[in-house]
Amino acid sequence: MAAGRLIIKTEFLPTKYRGYMLPLSQVFWLAGSLLIIGLASVVIPTIGWRWLIRIASIPGIILILAFKFIPESARFNVSTGNTEAALATLERIAKMNRSVMPEGRLVEPVLKKRGRFADLLDAKYLRTTLQIWVIWLGISFAYYGVILASAELLERDLVCGSRSESETVVTVGVSEESQSPCHCHMFTPSDYQTMIISTIGEIALNPLNILGINFLGRRLSLSITMGCTAVFFLLLNICTSSAGLIGFLFMLRALVAANFNTIYIYTAEVYPTTMRALGMGISGSLCRIGAMVAPFISQVLMSASLLGALCLFSSVCVICAISAFTLPIETKGRALQVSAAGVS
């Protein structure tokens, strides 16, 4: 779903605004994240986590109905030869902007074939595709890793290798369930406050991220933020106060969000229209793999070795930074391509 909405926005926005408007959409992602944390702080202690899931599903149901009002990409319609639908969309946009359509007619390029999985591995895109896959996997691994690690650090007080007194003191009569390896206990209001503050970090670097994307370029900007992410993962191992931990988590959330902003834009721009949805879809699948692996590191390995888990996260970010820096194509200021042949 996220990939689909970004593709549509990418294909509607002109080149000079793309690097500005797409990162700003992160504000709505942040609003949703803050809403679910606030909702959890109220719902879980009162009626339980199952009701939280039920309530959180409501916006998704509404969104399904809203899809009817989202126009299809004019670029997509042109690439498939459906110029009438493309014209209808453009006329609708012109009417909304109180403008008029320019004179002329839409002419679609002659496409012998549509995007296939094999096209992503064609010689022209092979290196780019493989490096993008590595970056997507690593960014997702780091993003969901820091979210889960935040909860783990707060719940188990693993910073400096210590455990909270509530976990180390064994009370007579404690049930077997409470002594399970999960060490589960309810978040306190201060824990929710920490989660909210660190989540706000997801837009803290948006102005710098926008400047980097538009002036340094997509590749260099991504390599810098990935390198900084690696550093801040290691800083989590430093013995610090609660304020220091919040600061590190705040910066980590800011950096991983910036990473996602940049790779979304780059992937949507580097592939032509005939391959864009396919390229984003495959990348999104690898993103889910990274999300599935993250809990095993941030919750299982971290409970055994905090330093080992943080070093693993940091190493993956370093690999992604190198992959980003060596990407063969820079898309800054580049018009969207229509076909692999380079027609724009």
Side-chain angles (χ1 to χ4, degrees):
M1 186 181 295
R5 64 171 173 77
L6 188 111
I7 291 171
I8 290 178
K9 286 189 290 186
T10 301
E11 296 184 349
F12 272 114
L13 288 171
T15 302
K16 63 178 180 178
Y17 296 126
R18 203 177 301 132
Y20 295 93
M21 297 304 297
L22 293 179
L24 289 177
S25 63
Q26 186 70 20
V27 174
F28 297 95
W29 181 278
L30 169 69
S33 299
L34 292 177
L35 179 61
I36 197 66
I37 294 174
L39 194 63
S41 67
V42 175
V43 174
I44 292 179
T46 54
I47 55 179
W49 62 268
R50 290 180 177 85
W51 274 104
L52 175 66
I53 294 176
R54 292 164 186 160
I55 296 172
S57 301
I58 296 174
I61 297 173
I62 297 174
L63 185 60
I64 293 175
L65 302 176
F67 283 149
K68 179 182 179 181
F69 303 98
I70 300 176
E72 181 56 85
S73 166
R75 287 179 179 270
F76 172 78
N77 283 328
V78 169
S79 70
T80 57
N82 192 357
T83 55
E84 292 183 3
L87 278 171
T89 299
L90 294 175
E91 288 172 354
R92 177 183 174 187
I93 294 172
K95 184 178 180 181
M96 290 175 62
N97 291 323
R98 298 178 181 179
S99 182
V100 294
M101 289 282 290
E103 296 182 359
R105 62 189 182 89
L106 287 176
V107 179
E108 71 276 10
V110 179
L111 302 178
K112 297 181 180 179
K113 60 180 181 180
R114 297 203 48 76
R116 302 172 301 174
F117 180 79
D119 295 334
L120 296 175
L121 302 179
D122 184 78
K124 183 177 180 179
Y125 289 103
L126 177 60
R127 179 181 163 188
T128 301
T129 295
L130 294 179
Q131 289 184 228
I132 283 177
W133 287 353
V134 170
I135 295 170
W136 270 93
L137 187 65
I139 288 179
S140 174
F141 178 68
Y143 179 82
Y144 291 101
V146 70
I147 292 175
L148 294 170
S150 300
E152 196 72 7
L153 290 169
L154 292 172
E155 184 179 359
R156 300 198 187 191
D157 191 19
L158 289 177
V159 177
C160 305
S162 64
R163 299 290 180 92
S164 64
E165 291 183 4
S166 62
E167 293 172 0
T168 56
V169 176
V170 178
T171 305
V172 178
V174 174
S175 65
E176 181 180 349
E177 181 181 356
S178 65
Q179 297 181 16
S180 70
C182 294
H183 299 279
C184 297
H185 70 270
M186 299 288 287
F187 269 16
T188 64
S190 62
D191 291 333
Y192 283 112
Q193 291 174 9
T194 299
M195 294 293 288
I196 289 174
I197 294 172
S198 62
T199 301
I200 293 174
E202 292 202 9
I203 62 167
L205 290 184
N206 246 13
L208 289 178
N209 187 213
I210 291 172
L211 289 175
I213 288 172
N214 289 281
F215 293 98
L216 298 179
R218 280 55 162 162
R219 295 180 300 182
L220 182 57
S221 177
L222 181 56
S223 62
I224 291 174
T225 54
M226 286 302 308
C228 292
T229 306
V231 172
F232 273 92
F233 263 117
L234 294 179
L235 290 178
L236 279 180
N237 191 56
I238 296 177
C239 294
T240 183
S241 63
S242 176
L245 175 62
I246 293 174
F248 289 149
L249 292 176
F250 182 89
M251 284 303 301
L252 265 175
R253 292 294 289 268
L255 289 165
V256 294
N259 295 335
F260 254 131
N261 284 341
T262 310
I263 193 59
Y264 262 122
I265 294 172
Y266 182 85
T267 306
E269 290 178 334
V270 77
Y271 292 119
T273 302
T274 54
M275 298 164 52
R276 189 169 297 118
L278 180 64
M280 288 291 291
I282 299 296
S283 298
S285 299
L286 291 172
C287 177
R288 303 309 161 208
I289 294 175
M292 288 188 288
V293 174
F296 293 98
I297 308 303
S298 58
Q299 294 183 313
V300 179
L301 178 58
M302 187 169 284
S303 63
S305 173
L306 176 64
L307 180 60
L310 295 178
C311 285
L312 182 56
F313 280 120
S314 181
S315 299
V316 171
C317 291
V318 170
I319 293 173
C320 290
I322 295 172
S323 296
F325 187 75
T326 57
L327 281 167
I329 301 173
E330 173 58 70
T331 61
K332 173 189 169 185
R334 182 175 182 252
L336 293 181
Q337 307 297 299
V338 175
S339 67
V343 181
S344 62

PDB file of all heavy atoms in Angstrom, residues 252-274:
ATOM      1  N   LEU A 252      17.925   8.267  16.352  1.00  0.00           N
ATOM      2  CA  LEU A 252      17.815   7.050  15.545  1.00  0.00           C
ATOM      3  C   LEU A 252      16.518   7.051  14.736  1.00  0.00           C
ATOM      4  O   LEU A 252      16.513   6.707  13.548  1.00  0.00           O
ATOM      5  CB  LEU A 252      17.887   5.815  16.436  1.00  0.00           C
ATOM      6  CG  LEU A 252      19.260   5.173  16.603  1.00  0.00           C
ATOM      7  CD1 LEU A 252      19.196   4.028  17.605  1.00  0.00           C
ATOM      8  CD2 LEU A 252      19.794   4.666  15.273  1.00  0.00           C
ATOM      9  N   ARG A 253      15.409   7.412  15.388  1.00  0.00           N
ATOM     10  CA  ARG A 253      14.141   7.451  14.663  1.00  0.00           C
ATOM     11  C   ARG A 253      14.185   8.485  13.552  1.00  0.00           C
ATOM     12  O   ARG A 253      13.630   8.288  12.464  1.00  0.00           O
ATOM     13  CB  ARG A 253      12.993   7.758  15.628  1.00  0.00           C
ATOM     14  CG  ARG A 253      12.695   6.657  16.626  1.00  0.00           C
ATOM     15  CD  ARG A 253      12.164   5.407  15.961  1.00  0.00           C
ATOM     16  NE  ARG A 253      10.822   5.562  15.454  1.00  0.00           N
ATOM     17  CZ  ARG A 253       9.715   5.271  16.143  1.00  0.00           C
ATOM     18  NH1 ARG A 253       9.812   4.813  17.382  1.00  0.00           N
ATOM     19  NH2 ARG A 253       8.531   5.405  15.605  1.00  0.00           N
ATOM     20  N   ALA A 254      14.851   9.614  13.805  1.00  0.00           N
ATOM     21  CA  ALA A 254      14.978  10.654  12.777  1.00  0.00           C
ATOM     22  C   ALA A 254      15.777  10.143  11.584  1.00  0.00           C
ATOM     23  O   ALA A 254      15.422  10.374  10.424  1.00  0.00           O
ATOM     24  CB  ALA A 254      15.651  11.891  13.376  1.00  0.00           C
ATOM     25  N   LEU A 255      16.858   9.425  11.858  1.00  0.00           N
ATOM     26  CA  LEU A 255      17.738   8.946  10.791  1.00  0.00           C
ATOM     27  C   LEU A 255      17.098   7.822   9.979  1.00  0.00           C
ATOM     28  O   LEU A 255      17.185   7.815   8.743  1.00  0.00           O
ATOM     29  CB  LEU A 255      19.066   8.479  11.390  1.00  0.00           C
ATOM     30  CG  LEU A 255      19.974   9.596  11.908  1.00  0.00           C
ATOM     31  CD1 LEU A 255      21.076   9.036  12.796  1.00  0.00           C
ATOM     32  CD2 LEU A 255      20.585  10.374  10.742  1.00  0.00           C
ATOM     33  N   VAL A 256      16.458   6.861  10.660  1.00  0.00           N
ATOM     34  CA  VAL A 256      15.856   5.753   9.909  1.00  0.00           C
ATOM     35  C   VAL A 256      14.689   6.249   9.060  1.00  0.00           C
ATOM     36  O   VAL A 256      14.429   5.725   7.971  1.00  0.00           O
ATOM     37  CB  VAL A 256      15.405   4.602  10.852  1.00  0.00           C
ATOM     38  CG1 VAL A 256      16.601   3.945  11.512  1.00  0.00           C
ATOM     39  CG2 VAL A 256      14.410   5.084  11.895  1.00  0.00           C
ATOM     40  N   ALA A 257      13.968   7.274   9.544  1.00  0.00           N
ATOM     41  CA  ALA A 257      12.893   7.849   8.733  1.00  0.00           C
ATOM     42  C   ALA A 257      13.459   8.557   7.510  1.00  0.00           C
ATOM     43  O   ALA A 257      12.908   8.466   6.411  1.00  0.00           O
ATOM     44  CB  ALA A 257      12.064   8.828   9.579  1.00  0.00           C
ATOM     45  N   ALA A 258      14.582   9.268   7.695  1.00  0.00           N
ATOM     46  CA  ALA A 258      15.235   9.933   6.559  1.00  0.00           C
ATOM     47  C   ALA A 258      15.711   8.910   5.532  1.00  0.00           C
ATOM     48  O   ALA A 258      15.622   9.139   4.318  1.00  0.00           O
ATOM     49  CB  ALA A 258      16.411  10.772   7.058  1.00  0.00           C
ATOM     50  N   ASN A 259      16.217   7.778   6.010  1.00  0.00           N
ATOM     51  CA  ASN A 259      16.646   6.709   5.099  1.00  0.00           C
ATOM     52  C   ASN A 259      15.490   6.233   4.235  1.00  0.00           C
ATOM     53  O   ASN A 259      15.628   6.063   3.015  1.00  0.00           O
ATOM     54  CB  ASN A 259      17.199   5.522   5.902  1.00  0.00           C
ATOM     55  CG  ASN A 259      18.454   5.867   6.668  1.00  0.00           C
ATOM     56  OD1 ASN A 259      19.189   6.787   6.308  1.00  0.00           O
ATOM     57  ND2 ASN A 259      18.708   5.144   7.738  1.00  0.00           N
ATOM     58  N   PHE A 260      14.345   6.007   4.865  1.00  0.00           N
ATOM     59  CA  PHE A 260      13.171   5.547   4.133  1.00  0.00           C
ATOM     60  C   PHE A 260      12.715   6.587   3.111  1.00  0.00           C
ATOM     61  O   PHE A 260      12.355   6.249   1.981  1.00  0.00           O
ATOM     62  CB  PHE A 260      12.027   5.216   5.099  1.00  0.00           C
ATOM     63  CG  PHE A 260      11.798   3.745   5.269  1.00  0.00           C
ATOM     64  CD1 PHE A 260      11.694   3.185   6.528  1.00  0.00           C
ATOM     65  CD2 PHE A 260      11.676   2.912   4.170  1.00  0.00           C
ATOM     66  CE1 PHE A 260      11.480   1.825   6.691  1.00  0.00           C
ATOM     67  CE2 PHE A 260      11.469   1.546   4.315  1.00  0.00           C
ATOM     68  CZ  PHE A 260      11.367   1.007   5.584  1.00  0.00           C
ATOM     69  N   ASN A 261      12.707   7.869   3.510  1.00  0.00           N
ATOM     70  CA  ASN A 261      12.309   8.929   2.582  1.00  0.00           C
ATOM     71  C   ASN A 261      13.144   8.885   1.306  1.00  0.00           C
ATOM     72  O   ASN A 261      12.631   8.958   0.189  1.00  0.00           O
ATOM     73  CB  ASN A 261      12.495  10.302   3.248  1.00  0.00           C
ATOM     74  CG  ASN A 261      11.405  10.614   4.254  1.00  0.00           C
ATOM     75  OD1 ASN A 261      10.342  10.011   4.233  1.00  0.00           O
ATOM     76  ND2 ASN A 261      11.676  11.548   5.136  1.00  0.00           N
ATOM     77  N   THR A 262      14.454   8.772   1.491  1.00  0.00           N
ATOM     78  CA  THR A 262      15.374   8.852   0.351  1.00  0.00           C
ATOM     79  C   THR A 262      15.273   7.630  -0.551  1.00  0.00           C
ATOM     80  O   THR A 262      15.246   7.761  -1.780  1.00  0.00           O
ATOM     81  CB  THR A 262      16.817   9.021   0.844  1.00  0.00           C
ATOM     82  OG1 THR A 262      16.878  10.080   1.805  1.00  0.00           O
ATOM     83  CG2 THR A 262      17.747   9.347  -0.308  1.00  0.00           C
ATOM     84  N   ILE A 263      15.214   6.439   0.033  1.00  0.00           N
ATOM     85  CA  ILE A 263      15.194   5.236  -0.806  1.00  0.00           C
ATOM     86  C   ILE A 263      13.857   5.111  -1.534  1.00  0.00           C
ATOM     87  O   ILE A 263      13.800   4.613  -2.666  1.00  0.00           O
ATOM     88  CB  ILE A 263      15.489   3.958   0.021  1.00  0.00           C
ATOM     89  CG1 ILE A 263      15.788   2.785  -0.906  1.00  0.00           C
ATOM     90  CG2 ILE A 263      14.335   3.624   0.958  1.00  0.00           C
ATOM     91  CD1 ILE A 263      16.969   2.989  -1.830  1.00  0.00           C
ATOM     92  N   TYR A 264      12.765   5.575  -0.920  1.00  0.00           N
ATOM     93  CA  TYR A 264      11.476   5.595  -1.612  1.00  0.00           C
ATOM     94  C   TYR A 264      11.570   6.459  -2.873  1.00  0.00           C
ATOM     95  O   TYR A 264      11.153   6.057  -3.964  1.00  0.00           O
ATOM     96  CB  TYR A 264      10.391   6.160  -0.692  1.00  0.00           C
ATOM     97  CG  TYR A 264       9.555   5.123   0.015  1.00  0.00           C
ATOM     98  CD1 TYR A 264       9.478   5.091   1.409  1.00  0.00           C
ATOM     99  CD2 TYR A 264       8.813   4.191  -0.697  1.00  0.00           C
ATOM    100  CE1 TYR A 264       8.695   4.152   2.063  1.00  0.00           C
ATOM    101  CE2 TYR A 264       8.025   3.246  -0.054  1.00  0.00           C
ATOM    102  CZ  TYR A 264       7.972   3.239   1.331  1.00  0.00           C
ATOM    103  OH  TYR A 264       7.199   2.308   1.972  1.00  0.00           O
ATOM    104  N   ILE A 265      12.113   7.666  -2.705  1.00  0.00           N
ATOM    105  CA  ILE A 265      12.219   8.590  -3.838  1.00  0.00           C
ATOM    106  C   ILE A 265      13.140   8.021  -4.910  1.00  0.00           C
ATOM    107  O   ILE A 265      12.815   8.030  -6.105  1.00  0.00           O
ATOM    108  CB  ILE A 265      12.730   9.962  -3.361  1.00  0.00           C
ATOM    109  CG1 ILE A 265      11.700  10.616  -2.445  1.00  0.00           C
ATOM    110  CG2 ILE A 265      13.026  10.877  -4.550  1.00  0.00           C
ATOM    111  CD1 ILE A 265      12.194  11.873  -1.781  1.00  0.00           C
ATOM    112  N   TYR A 266      14.292   7.515  -4.491  1.00  0.00           N
ATOM    113  CA  TYR A 266      15.271   7.009  -5.458  1.00  0.00           C
ATOM    114  C   TYR A 266      14.697   5.845  -6.266  1.00  0.00           C
ATOM    115  O   TYR A 266      14.824   5.798  -7.492  1.00  0.00           O
ATOM    116  CB  TYR A 266      16.543   6.563  -4.733  1.00  0.00           C
ATOM    117  CG  TYR A 266      17.611   6.067  -5.680  1.00  0.00           C
ATOM    118  CD1 TYR A 266      18.491   6.955  -6.289  1.00  0.00           C
ATOM    119  CD2 TYR A 266      17.715   4.711  -6.004  1.00  0.00           C
ATOM    120  CE1 TYR A 266      19.450   6.508  -7.187  1.00  0.00           C
ATOM    121  CE2 TYR A 266      18.671   4.263  -6.896  1.00  0.00           C
ATOM    122  CZ  TYR A 266      19.540   5.160  -7.482  1.00  0.00           C
ATOM    123  OH  TYR A 266      20.474   4.706  -8.384  1.00  0.00           O
ATOM    124  N   THR A 267      14.073   4.887  -5.590  1.00  0.00           N
ATOM    125  CA  THR A 267      13.548   3.706  -6.288  1.00  0.00           C
ATOM    126  C   THR A 267      12.460   4.089  -7.277  1.00  0.00           C
ATOM    127  O   THR A 267      12.401   3.564  -8.395  1.00  0.00           O
ATOM    128  CB  THR A 267      12.996   2.694  -5.269  1.00  0.00           C
ATOM    129  OG1 THR A 267      14.002   2.390  -4.303  1.00  0.00           O
ATOM    130  CG2 THR A 267      12.576   1.400  -5.965  1.00  0.00           C
ATOM    131  N   ALA A 268      11.587   5.023  -6.880  1.00  0.00           N
ATOM    132  CA  ALA A 268      10.515   5.452  -7.782  1.00  0.00           C
ATOM    133  C   ALA A 268      11.057   6.206  -8.986  1.00  0.00           C
ATOM    134  O   ALA A 268      10.456   6.173 -10.065  1.00  0.00           O
ATOM    135  CB  ALA A 268       9.518   6.326  -7.020  1.00  0.00           C
ATOM    136  N   GLU A 269      12.188   6.881  -8.822  1.00  0.00           N
ATOM    137  CA  GLU A 269      12.744   7.679  -9.915  1.00  0.00           C
ATOM    138  C   GLU A 269      13.656   6.882 -10.836  1.00  0.00           C
ATOM    139  O   GLU A 269      13.761   7.194 -12.027  1.00  0.00           O
ATOM    140  CB  GLU A 269      13.531   8.860  -9.342  1.00  0.00           C
ATOM    141  CG  GLU A 269      12.674   9.922  -8.690  1.00  0.00           C
ATOM    142  CD  GLU A 269      13.501  11.045  -8.096  1.00  0.00           C
ATOM    143  OE1 GLU A 269      14.672  10.801  -7.743  1.00  0.00           O
ATOM    144  OE2 GLU A 269      12.983  12.163  -7.966  1.00  0.00           O
ATOM    145  N   VAL A 270      14.331   5.879 -10.320  1.00  0.00           N
ATOM    146  CA  VAL A 270      15.354   5.208 -11.113  1.00  0.00           C
ATOM    147  C   VAL A 270      14.759   4.276 -12.164  1.00  0.00           C
ATOM    148  O   VAL A 270      15.359   4.054 -13.221  1.00  0.00           O
ATOM    149  CB  VAL A 270      16.333   4.437 -10.189  1.00  0.00           C
ATOM    150  CG1 VAL A 270      15.711   3.136  -9.687  1.00  0.00           C
ATOM    151  CG2 VAL A 270      17.652   4.166 -10.908  1.00  0.00           C
ATOM    152  N   TYR A 271      13.565   3.724 -11.900  1.00  0.00           N
ATOM    153  CA  TYR A 271      12.939   2.802 -12.850  1.00  0.00           C
ATOM    154  C   TYR A 271      11.966   3.541 -13.768  1.00  0.00           C
ATOM    155  O   TYR A 271      11.313   4.495 -13.346  1.00  0.00           O
ATOM    156  CB  TYR A 271      12.185   1.691 -12.113  1.00  0.00           C
ATOM    157  CG  TYR A 271      13.066   0.727 -11.372  1.00  0.00           C
ATOM    158  CD1 TYR A 271      12.970   0.579  -9.986  1.00  0.00           C
ATOM    159  CD2 TYR A 271      14.008  -0.053 -12.046  1.00  0.00           C
ATOM    160  CE1 TYR A 271      13.772  -0.318  -9.305  1.00  0.00           C
ATOM    161  CE2 TYR A 271      14.819  -0.942 -11.368  1.00  0.00           C
ATOM    162  CZ  TYR A 271      14.705  -1.070  -9.999  1.00  0.00           C
ATOM    163  OH  TYR A 271      15.506  -1.948  -9.323  1.00  0.00           O
ATOM    164  N   PRO A 272      11.846   3.115 -15.011  1.00  0.00           N
ATOM    165  CA  PRO A 272      10.877   3.722 -15.925  1.00  0.00           C
ATOM    166  C   PRO A 272       9.453   3.326 -15.557  1.00  0.00           C
ATOM    167  O   PRO A 272       9.233   2.420 -14.746  1.00  0.00           O
ATOM    168  CB  PRO A 272      11.279   3.154 -17.285  1.00  0.00           C
ATOM    169  CG  PRO A 272      11.935   1.849 -16.970  1.00  0.00           C
ATOM    170  CD  PRO A 272      12.653   2.062 -15.677  1.00  0.00           C
ATOM    171  N   THR A 273       8.485   3.991 -16.167  1.00  0.00           N
ATOM    172  CA  THR A 273       7.078   3.753 -15.843  1.00  0.00           C
ATOM    173  C   THR A 273       6.680   2.296 -16.040  1.00  0.00           C
ATOM    174  O   THR A 273       5.913   1.739 -15.257  1.00  0.00           O
ATOM    175  CB  THR A 273       6.176   4.649 -16.716  1.00  0.00           C
ATOM    176  OG1 THR A 273       6.537   6.016 -16.496  1.00  0.00           O
ATOM    177  CG2 THR A 273       4.711   4.457 -16.371  1.00  0.00           C
ATOM    178  N   THR A 274       7.222   1.666 -17.066  1.00  0.00           N
ATOM    179  CA  THR A 274       6.861   0.269 -17.340  1.00  0.00           C
ATOM    180  C   THR A 274       7.374  -0.696 -16.279  1.00  0.00           C
ATOM    181  O   THR A 274       6.896  -1.820 -16.175  1.00  0.00           O
ATOM    182  CB  THR A 274       7.448  -0.165 -18.706  1.00  0.00           C
ATOM    183  OG1 THR A 274       8.860   0.087 -18.718  1.00  0.00           O
ATOM    184  CG2 THR A 274       6.777   0.595 -19.835  1.00  0.00           C
TER     185      THR A 274
END
